[in-house]
Amino acid sequence: MDYMLKPEDFVGVTFWIISVSMVASTAFFFLEANSVSKHWQTSVRVAGLVTLIAAVHYYYMRDVWVSTGESPTVYRYIDWLLTVPLQMIEFYLILAAVGAATAGIFWRLLIGTLIMLVGGFMGEAGYINSTVGFIIGMAGWIYILYEVFAGEAAQASAASNSQGMKTAFNSLKWIVSIGWSIYPIGYFLGYLSGAGADPSTLNWVYNLADYINKIAFGVIIWAAAKSDTAKA
Ligand SMILES: *C/C=C(C)/C=C/C=C(C)/C=C/C1=C(C)CCCC1(C)C
């Protein structure tokens, strides 16, 4: 086994860059949480927890990739299983900060997340046919999209009169739709489009997606918190 990163290993380089970026983002979010108003602090800290959990997993995933050239599927999905529900909690917290959250919103987002990840994992790990796994995963994602664009969460956000919350909620909607769409694209390119599995494409696309959806996601929340704090 060879654990050294090679210059021609492009996917390996993306694993390294993201490992370190996750660590730096974690420090940033935890430090900055102290300088925003009280009801935003939990949201900014949860963003820091997401990048912290991802940082730990990225170090392991990177080792799997650099030493074997195989997809670190188990670590990847354990990471997602912890971080995606935390991001769903983030939606809930943003609504809760202005008193607009309900338990139903939280449970529906969580159920959608579980269906999406279980379907994806079963398909990637070979427990079920990869097309079937893809379809189950897509169904879970569409359920989440419905909740944030048209369901109770969307209505609660629209009815609120906090501008900071509305801005944050709207940005999060774009993350969950456009930002998250990179994941099914990665799965499609990795398993369904070519002759066989393509772990290189799969992993660099997933890595790019995590970079955007964990770090940019946190930055959006931090920016909304900052501007709301400045106004108060
Ligand atoms: C921090 C990690 C995040 C935000 C991970 C998000 C993962 C997804 C949105 C995955 C979605 C999938 C589908 C919509 C269908 C195919 C299977 C998945 C799991 C790749």
Side-chain angles (χ1 to χ4, degrees):
M1 281 218 262
D2 183 357
Y3 290 101
M4 298 308 266
L5 180 63
K6 294 184 192 60
E8 67 276 14
D9 183 0
F10 166 73
V11 182
V13 170
T14 67
F15 271 110
W16 277 81
I17 292 172
I18 294 172
S19 315
V20 179
S21 306
M22 292 290 178
V23 173
S25 308
T26 303
F28 179 78
F29 294 135
F30 282 138
L31 291 170
E32 284 292 311
N34 299 315
S35 67
V36 300
S37 68
K38 270 258 167 317
H39 64 276
W40 280 102
Q41 292 187 345
T42 311
S43 302
V44 176
R45 291 199 179 106
V46 171
L49 286 180
V50 166
T51 53
L52 174 64
I53 294 170
V56 175
H57 285 87
Y58 260 87
Y59 277 82
Y60 283 95
M61 292 203 284
R62 193 186 73 188
D63 280 350
V64 172
W65 178 265
V66 169
S67 59
T68 68
E70 283 171 19
S71 293
T73 305
V74 178
Y75 291 121
R76 177 86 76 187
Y77 274 85
I78 294 174
D79 172 351
W80 290 355
L81 199 61
L82 298 169
T83 53
V84 182
L86 275 175
Q87 297 193 314
M88 293 290 111
I89 290 173
E90 201 73 280
F91 259 113
Y92 180 82
L93 285 175
I94 285 170
L95 291 170
V98 294
T102 68
I105 295 174
F106 174 73
W107 286 111
R108 282 191 299 276
L109 291 173
L110 193 65
I111 289 167
T113 300
L114 290 178
I115 295 171
M116 180 177 88
L117 295 181
V118 169
F121 178 74
M122 305 261 281
E124 290 203 46
Y127 291 111
I128 56 177
N129 173 281
S130 52
T131 306
V132 175
F134 184 75
I135 292 167
I136 297 172
M138 289 298 280
W141 181 42
I142 289 166
Y143 186 68
I144 296 169
L145 290 176
Y146 175 80
E147 179 66 26
V148 298
F149 276 89
E152 201 191 337
Q155 289 156 19
S157 158
S160 151
N161 47 26
S162 156
Q163 204 46 53
M165 189 285 282
K166 277 194 175 154
T167 311
F169 192 85
N170 282 329
S171 317
L172 292 186
K173 276 191 344 200
W174 293 112
I175 285 278
V176 171
S177 53
I178 309 297
W180 282 18
S181 70
I182 305 169
Y183 295 98
I185 291 171
Y187 187 110
F188 182 82
L189 296 175
Y191 295 100
L192 307 178
S193 65
D198 174 359
S200 286
T201 307
L202 180 80
N203 281 285
W204 78 254
V205 176
Y206 278 174
N207 290 358
L208 172 73
D210 276 351
Y211 193 84
I212 293 171
N213 292 296
K214 291 185 166 63
I215 299 176
F217 174 92
V219 169
I220 287 170
I221 291 162
W222 165 81
K226 272 290 201 204
S227 77
D228 214 40
T229 306
K231 280 190 207 104

